[in-house]
Amino acid sequence: MGAQLRVYKRRIRSVTATKKITKAMEMIAASRIVKAQRQVAASTPYATELTRAVTAVATGSTTKHPLTTEADAPARAAILLITSDRGLAGGYSANAIKAAERLTERLRGEGKEVVTYVIGRKGVAYYGFRERKVADSWTGFTDSPTYADAKRAAAPLIEVVTQETAEGGVDELHIVFTEFVSMMTQNPVDNRMLPLSLDMTKTEEGKGEILPLFDFEPSAEDVLDALLPRYVESRIYNALLQAAASEHAARRRAMKSATDNAGDLIKSLSRLANAARQAEITQEISEIVGGASALADATAGSDK
């Protein structure tokens, strides 16, 4: 076997092994998407209704709660960025980071100081490599988050929102994550969680719906104190589930593309290997024919 043919066969074996790995990862990601979609569907109604409840309490009372009241001159804003712990998911984490960078630039353009919180090793590595400060970070659960993970991430965020700005608190809380739309579409989005937007109530009023009146016991402020931590936790949990479904879908798509590319490369290398083998066979036949001709000529010369 010639040297060129050996090179092609070695590359074919290597690409075939890689194809098996990418195919297995594609199947694993596809199986996890179904579970992630079910979790998103199960958590979304709770987050939606809790948002409606908090909005109703905020609009049904005259209490100016720090978590529902806009600051006169907001000076600091916190951003929670959700990325992945693992790679091989195409541009999933990169797109979320870009969305966070755009939001950061916009907030700084408004004269606000930005405090960044990160979920996922990819985001932590991005800020660490650039030596940019991160207030807090969490890793190890992005592909299968639980409510306990969301609660753990929400605790320091709620704390800084309730503090005064002079004491290290923030006036706004934003979250950047990848929204799961379909198996083929996942969009990075940035939403403001706090102060709570009252757009939902305005929309209901515009439809002519009559909002209920509430009596608060012991007080509206105490009710908001109890509801708003649950609101933040549920929004973060839903975002984590959306991000997990998006990550699995992006990884399945990336691994399918890698598998297809490996198949195309194997076909190309096989054609080159066949051409090299045919060239070797042709050369061997030529050498045999040339040797036979030389032997025949030598034999004919000796007979004379």
Side-chain angles (χ1 to χ4, degrees), residues 2-215:
Q4 191 66 30
L5 184 57
R6 284 196 296 270
V7 170
Y8 287 138
K9 287 187 174 296
R10 185 165 58 249
R11 290 189 63 189
I12 289 174
R13 288 194 298 268
S14 176
V15 175
T16 301
T18 302
K19 182 181 178 181
K20 292 179 180 179
I21 295 173
T22 56
K23 183 63 176 178
M25 295 184 67
E26 175 191 348
M27 296 176 65
I28 292 172
S31 66
R32 290 179 175 176
I33 291 174
V34 178
K35 179 181 178 182
Q37 284 180 292
R38 290 174 181 171
Q39 289 179 320
V40 171
S43 69
T44 299
Y46 174 76
T48 301
E49 290 304 318
L50 188 56
T51 301
R52 289 169 60 90
V54 175
T55 304
V57 173
T59 56
S61 67
T62 58
T63 301
K64 289 188 176 182
H65 194 275
L67 302 184
T68 58
T69 305
E70 295 275 357
D72 295 332
R76 302 185 81 220
I79 296 178
L80 175 62
L81 168 63
I82 300 177
T83 61
S84 66
D85 285 321
R86 299 185 295 124
L88 301 178
Y92 165 76
S93 292
N95 292 334
I97 291 172
K98 289 178 182 177
E101 291 290 89
R102 289 192 295 267
L103 176 60
T104 300
E105 292 300 321
R106 177 167 63 82
L107 293 175
R108 286 176 177 169
E110 296 172 358
K112 300 171 186 174
E113 180 186 353
V114 177
V115 183
T116 305
Y117 296 80
V118 181
I119 295 177
R121 290 190 178 93
K122 291 298 179 180
V124 173
Y126 175 85
Y127 286 94
F129 179 77
R130 288 158 181 78
E131 297 182 352
R132 295 169 59 180
K133 184 178 179 182
V134 173
D136 205 346
S137 62
W138 303 267
T139 60
F141 55 82
T142 58
D143 60 343
S144 183
T146 63
Y147 194 85
D149 298 321
K151 191 172 182 178
R152 184 155 52 94
L157 296 173
I158 296 172
E159 182 179 352
V160 296
V161 170
T162 55
Q163 289 178 346
E164 295 292 335
T165 306
E167 300 175 356
V170 298
D171 301 309
E172 297 178 0
L173 174 58
H174 300 258
I175 184 170
V176 178
F177 65 98
T178 305
E179 181 183 27
F180 181 84
V181 180
S182 67
M183 294 286 286
M184 298 302 297
T185 305
Q186 301 87 41
N187 299 323
V189 295
D190 63 88
N191 295 332
R192 194 184 77 172
M193 287 196 296
L194 297 173
L196 182 65
S197 174
L198 304 182
D199 291 341
M200 182 183 297
T201 303
K202 294 178 181 178
T203 301
E204 291 177 350
E205 290 175 348
K207 293 179 181 178
E209 297 182 9
I210 300 176
L211 296 177
L213 298 177
F214 292 93
D215 288 330

